[in-house]
Structure formats: structure tokens, C-alpha cells
Amino acid sequence: MIGVGNPLAGDDGVGIAVIEELEREGVAPGVEVIDGGTGGLTLLSLMAGARAVLLVDALAMGRAPGSVAGFRYEAGVFRADGAGLSLHQAGLGEVLALAAELGELPELFIVGIEPESLELGQGLSEPVAAALPQAVAAVHEWLAQFPGR
Amino acid sequence: MRVEVRHLTRVEGHANLVVDVASGELRECRLEIVEAPRFFESLLKGRHYSDVAPIVARVCGVCSNSHTLVSLAATEAAFGVEVSAQTRRLRQLLAYGEILQSHILHLYFLAIPDYLGVTSILPLAKSRRELVTRALRLKKLANDICLAVGGRPVHPVTPCVGGFSALPAAAALQELRRQLVAALPDLEETVDLFATLPIPAFERETEYLSLSPDGGYPLFGSELLSSDGARIPVRDYRLAIEEYLTPHSTAKFARLGRESYMVGPLARVKNAFGQLSPMARQVAAALQLEPGTINPYRNLVARLVEVIHCVEQAIHLVDETLLPGLRREVPVVTARAGVGVAAIEAPRGTLFHAYHYDADGCIESADCVIPTAQNLGNIEADLRALVPQLLDLPRPELTLRLESLVRAYDPCISCSTHLLTVDFA
């Protein structure tokens, strides 16, 4: 499970907040919890060797702030023309496209939380902070369903 | 002639490049930067020293180790803390890990598409798969260095004021050494590849700034060296570097003795050519990179020479760390009121942090000068000199030539700014 985002950019840090909560709770053996930050392409080596990966991130889905969605990653879900390929912030789409192109994309699930504000500054907005338990529950739900566990 | 490139890709951040040429004369040429408020300083105000490094580690996903290490050095300078030789070596190894991460990404993912006629690395995953997998292997090696020493591949957690909160296991360092040696064939292929790239010919001399090479190839240090001869104590950086605003940009530009100056790989190679590792010097010779080079496009080659230097030096650093045996050291830190200033050679150039602490060890004010901000004025000056030489080129070629010049500096504007777009007016 990899949380991505920047805790200095408001709700962009929600993925890290979820990961920190999971670290506090503890997870089952065989599950690794990783703070991926804004490492961009570093994500490729973080995912390498995993049977399945769950990414937790702030996602602009056009829903109400704090909305939580869990889904299986399919090619084309994110914009990935490669031209914006950048080491951080933007780039999740490109990173996943590159992994798919190289045949190194593990089974991938996303838990996304709709942000309210990505303004620079620490701390989550009220609706996003309130959605943390739901996001953590979505992660547990995925874990429980994951075959072979 | 009006050329507009609204979004300059494969750089970090957001800006507009405006170039306006009328009847063969350059009327306007500027790099417009849209800078966010200087939030860095406000974010740190009032923070306890123990919180400072973890915060700055998040400022940037590319230079998180450099920000962390220079932040620790600034705090240590304020408190009068001396770190051990083991800490210095491990911090150097971590810094080299980050330079490798950043340079390899730049060389393979951000720069090479310009020279292989593609718009991004994605098509190369099909057509030049061996190139992409080699890039990822080298990138992973760099990540592994940062992970072993810093506790994470990005945003390090183990470096702390006075030393390290946790040390790498000796076995992890031995494994790193093995991987570093095993990477040599990949590096050789990288050098062969870059030796074939047609680096554009363009020369413009400027002032080149780096930390002084007196103690070896510049990385940490208390003195700056300008290619114009000036030696400036790091603690006086504010007196030497003048930051100024221009009407077209919300970012600050910087100058020293001249209108603009350059920091980064080429500046370091020029100021410290004799301090490069033996293998790096050989590669510099093979790539025809000489200390007299004044072609800013050759920042690309300088970056590759630094990759070789970092790998070779990293092997020595591991040996020097393991030979006396890793010792657990408990950092002793006593906070006191004072000012601490430090600089580090980050992947893109000299990075400054300066903190004023109160008697409780909380920050009263902070200042940060990033490499890209220092290079902005120089990039503009290059473009002003370059555009008149390229007016006969077809528009797409001209555009690519200008874009790749900007990219040669590997600008990372996200520390202090948002997006980068290019407009040719």
C-alpha cells in the first residue's frame, strides 16, 4: 500500500495521512505500508516485485470534497500523454502508463479521496479530514477482498 | 515573428517563454515564472528545530535530501553543533544518491527525448526498451542509496540535527557497494549513448558559481567560489547575491558580479574540474567536456560526468564508512538563540538555507534560495543571445532548440513556484 502526495499542499497530503493511520493501526504480515510522497517515477521501483499494489491519493473526480472512491486501475483512467512527465506532482498517470508499457504494472487498486483545496500549507480541509475513517475503511475492505490473503 | 509554446514540457513547474522578433531583431525575450507566495519561510516560522528538517523534506520530491541536509547544517551552524566524520560521510553518500536520482531522471527521462526525436520517454519503452530498462535500473540504484542511508527513497527520515536517528545496516551498505560496482556496464552504455547525441553548438560566457572545491569536488562547505575569482563566505551569501524582481515575473531573479550567473553541474565542473574522480575525468575527456566549456547545452554532459563521479565516490564512501566499523552515536544538541546559514550543492546547483532561532530553539525567520531561481536570469540571457542565431531555422526546430536550452538547466520551479509554460511571442 503506497500513499502518495504532499502534506505541504493541503489535501494533496491525504494519501500520506491515510498511510500514517494504517501504520499506527498496524497491518497484516505480507502487507507493506509505504509513504511514497512526491517521488514520481520512484513509484516504479516501489511497486516492483509486489503481487498487488493499492495506491492512496487525492483524486480530482469532480465529486464533493471528501468523497472516497475505490476502484481497480485500468489503462486510460488517468491522463498520460507522457509530455508532462515530471518527477513529482503531476505524473501518476505517466508513471502507470510507463509501467504498463514495460509490462511491469502489478494488479493495481486505487483509493482516491476528492480534495477541497490543494493550496500550499499544512493540514487537511474539514471535509477531507472527516473522510479519513472512510478512506481507511476502504483500504481494509480491499485488503479483506484481496485473494490469497 | 511570434512563437507561442504555452506549456513547456519535461521541466518541473510552470512558466511562459516569450520571444518576439521583428525584422530580424529580437524585441523581447523573457521567461515568465508564476511563483507561489514565498510559503517556505512562513511555513517554518515558529517551528521547533526538531520539526524543521521533516517539513523541508516535503518541499520537493526531487531535492528532498538536499533540502534536509542543508537544513540540518543550517540548524547545526546556529547551535554550534559539530558532526562526526561518520555522519559527514553518510550525509555525503545520501547527497550523492540524490544527485544520481535527479541526474539520471533528467538525462534519460527529461532530456533524451529532445535528442531522439520523440516527445517523451513513453514511445521509447517500445522502440528502445533496453534504454528505458537501463534508465530504470540506474534510477533504482540511486533510490537504494537514499533508502539505505536516509530510510526512504524520497523524503528522508533518518538524518537529524547532530547526526542520524538510525544508521544503515553494514550489510545494506555492502549490498550497495556490490550494486554500485555492478552498475558500471550500464554507465558505460550511458556514456556511449550520450557521446552520440548532437549537442547544439552555442557559446555564451557567464559567471559560474559553486561551493569552493578546496576540500574536494563541491558538495558541502562554508565558502563560495565564483569563476570571476571572488571567494565569498556562505554566511555572507545575502550580501553577495542580489535578488531582484522583474516586472514580467513574480519569481525573484539573482545576480552576483554580473547581470546573471549560472549554478549547477556545468558551473561545478568548470570550477572544480581537477577535483573530479579519475573515472569522471576520463568520461569528461571522452565526451569532450573541458573546463573552458561555455556552452550551456553542455550542462547535459556535465550531469553525466557528475553521475560517474558520484558512483565512484559512493564506492569509496561506503568503504571509508565500513572500514572503521559503524558506530552508534547519540547526537548531543543544545538549542540556543542565533543565526545559522548553510549551503549544499543540490543536483541543480547551490542551495541556501538560513534560519534565525530564538532561545527555545524555535525559528523566528527563515530564508531559502533555490538553484533554479539563481539560474533564471542566466537562462534569459542565454535565450537573448541564442535567438538571433537561430532565426533561419524552421519554427518547430527553433522552438525545440530553445526549449531544450531551458531544459538543459533542468529547471525545477516547484519548490517556489507552480507550472512552467513557454510562449514565443
Side-chain angles (χ1 to χ4, degrees):
Chain A
M1 299 189 291
I2 307 173
V4 288
N6 188 351
L8 302 186
D11 290 335
D12 193 43
V14 66
I16 307 300
V18 170
I19 284 298
E20 283 172 351
E21 180 55 32
L22 292 162
E23 273 172 347
R24 270 191 293 273
E25 288 180 5
V27 289
V31 181
E32 202 180 336
V33 181
I34 300 173
D35 178 339
T38 50
L41 279 161
T42 302
L43 208 53
L44 281 186
S45 30
L46 294 180
M47 295 193 299
R51 258 188 71 200
V53 170
L54 174 73
L55 284 178
V56 190
D57 196 6
L59 280 190
M61 302 173 284
R63 302 184 186 177
S67 299
V68 176
F71 56 94
R72 179 187 290 269
Y73 172 78
E74 309 277 356
V77 170
F78 302 127
R79 177 187 156 275
D81 58 13
L85 190 65
S86 143
L87 320 189
H88 50 182
Q89 278 143 8
L92 184 59
E94 284 97 352
V95 171
L96 297 178
L98 185 58
E101 194 65 65
L102 294 167
E104 288 178 9
L105 194 64
E107 197 173 350
L108 185 64
F109 297 84
I110 315 266
V111 167
I113 302 98
E114 180 81 35
E116 181 177 77
S117 165
L118 303 178
E119 291 291 303
L120 295 176
Q122 274 179 303
L124 300 175
S125 69
E126 211 173 295
V128 170
L132 277 180
Q134 200 193 335
V136 171
V139 171
H140 283 304
E141 201 176 310
W142 171 76
L143 267 183
Q145 283 174 7
F146 185 65
R149 277 219 12 90
Chain B
M1 177 179 66
R2 188 185 171 85
V3 188
E4 295 207 2
V5 184
R6 268 283 155 194
H7 185 76
L8 181 59
T9 56
R10 284 181 276 122
V11 300
E12 304 291 340
H14 180 117
N16 304 307
L17 179 61
V18 181
V19 177
D20 188 359
V21 181
S23 43
E25 211 164 291
L26 183 64
R27 296 201 321 203
E28 200 176 10
C29 171
R30 56 179 204 264
L31 196 59
E32 297 177 337
I33 305 297
V34 187
E35 190 181 31
R38 301 275 289 181
F39 95 115
F40 179 88
E41 285 88 349
S42 61
L43 202 63
L44 291 181
K45 204 171 173 181
R47 300 289 182 156
H48 189 253
Y49 75 84
S50 57
D51 291 338
V52 172
I55 291 172
V56 303
R58 295 285 184 175
V59 166
C60 174
V62 188
C63 298
S64 59
N65 285 289
S66 293
H67 276 293
T68 301
L69 293 174
V70 75
S71 167
L72 295 175
T75 299
E76 286 156 1
F79 296 168
V81 174
E82 286 284 336
V83 299
S84 71
Q86 174 178 281
T87 290
R88 282 199 300 275
R89 278 194 289 265
L90 286 172
R91 286 183 180 178
Q92 198 176 347
L93 183 58
L94 184 57
Y96 281 167
E98 176 167 277
I99 292 175
L100 287 171
Q101 275 185 328
S102 177
H103 281 8
I104 285 160
L105 269 161
H106 181 267
L107 291 168
Y108 273 106
F109 292 85
L110 307 181
I112 228 170
D114 283 344
Y115 293 94
L116 298 183
V118 288
T119 54
S120 85
I121 190 85
L122 276 180
L124 296 177
K126 266 200 194 77
S127 61
R128 301 284 300 271
R129 196 185 159 90
E130 87 295 346
L131 181 154
V132 177
T133 51
R134 186 196 314 138
L136 290 171
R137 273 197 304 275
L138 289 170
K139 171 79 167 73
K140 182 172 186 308
L141 167 66
N143 290 347
D144 287 348
I145 297 173
C146 296
L147 173 64
V149 183
R152 273 198 202 139
V154 278
H155 316 303
V157 287
T158 58
C160 64
V161 178
F164 281 83
S165 61
L167 292 176
L173 289 180
Q174 277 153 0
E175 170 58 19
L176 268 191
R177 192 191 194 286
R178 195 196 59 73
Q179 288 183 48
L180 284 160
V181 173
L184 294 179
D186 277 346
L187 293 173
E188 240 171 83
E189 299 229 21
T190 305
V191 172
D192 289 347
L193 171 68
F194 278 83
T196 66
L197 299 186
I199 309 284
F202 166 64
E203 296 200 322
R204 190 184 74 84
E205 209 236 344
T206 184
E207 186 173 6
Y208 303 88
L209 182 79
S210 70
L211 284 165
S212 146
D214 290 349
Y217 196 75
L219 183 62
F220 302 108
S222 55
E223 190 181 58
L224 297 159
L225 173 68
S226 153
S227 57
D228 286 351
R231 286 182 176 267
I232 306 149
V234 164
R235 63 172 184 278
D236 293 340
Y237 78 105
R238 271 286 164 220
L239 301 175
I241 297 172
E242 186 195 349
E243 284 194 307
Y244 62 100
L245 294 166
T246 70
H248 65 265
S249 174
T250 58
K252 284 179 187 163
F253 285 55
R255 62 188 160 212
L256 282 165
R258 307 191 195 188
E259 181 202 5
S260 69
Y261 64 96
M262 180 195 286
V263 294
L266 188 60
R268 288 189 291 251
V269 165
K270 286 175 66 67
N271 285 357
F273 196 82
Q275 305 289 341
L276 283 166
S277 73
M279 220 160 52
R281 268 194 305 244
Q282 275 177 23
V283 166
L287 296 170
Q288 291 164 340
L289 181 69
E290 288 157 5
T293 306
I294 51 171
N295 177 353
Y297 284 104
R298 295 186 74 77
N299 254 308
L300 187 71
V301 180
R303 217 165 265 127
L304 178 51
V305 167
E306 286 196 334
V307 164
I308 308 298
H309 176 85
C310 289
V311 168
E312 193 172 359
Q313 289 304 109
I315 294 172
H316 293 313
L317 284 166
V318 170
D319 289 345
E320 287 163 21
T321 305
L322 288 176
L323 201 64
L326 276 165
R327 287 180 316 278
R328 184 152 300 282
E329 301 165 331
V330 181
V332 180
V333 179
T334 311
R336 67 182 192 203
V339 179
V341 182
I344 187 173
E345 287 296 332
R348 288 161 184 78
T350 320
L351 167 68
F352 299 88
H353 278 214
Y355 306 145
H356 282 249
Y357 276 105
D358 67 16
D360 298 325
C362 294
I363 288 198
E364 288 179 329
S365 67
D367 183 44
C368 167
V369 182
I370 65 164
T372 295
Q374 297 171 75
N375 275 333
L376 284 178
N378 207 63
I379 299 175
E380 269 198 8
D382 279 350
L383 290 166
R384 276 197 300 274
L386 177 63
V387 170
Q389 301 177 16
L390 301 181
L391 292 178
D392 294 338
L393 288 180
R395 182 76 63 93
E397 217 170 300
L398 168 72
T399 304
L400 176 66
R401 202 66 83 73
L402 298 184
E403 281 188 343
S404 51
L405 175 72
V406 175
R407 277 197 282 269
Y409 284 82
D410 196 11
C412 176
I413 300 158
S414 350
C415 299
S416 55
T417 68
H418 281 307
L419 288 278
L420 182 65
T421 325
V422 183
D423 280 333
F424 293 101

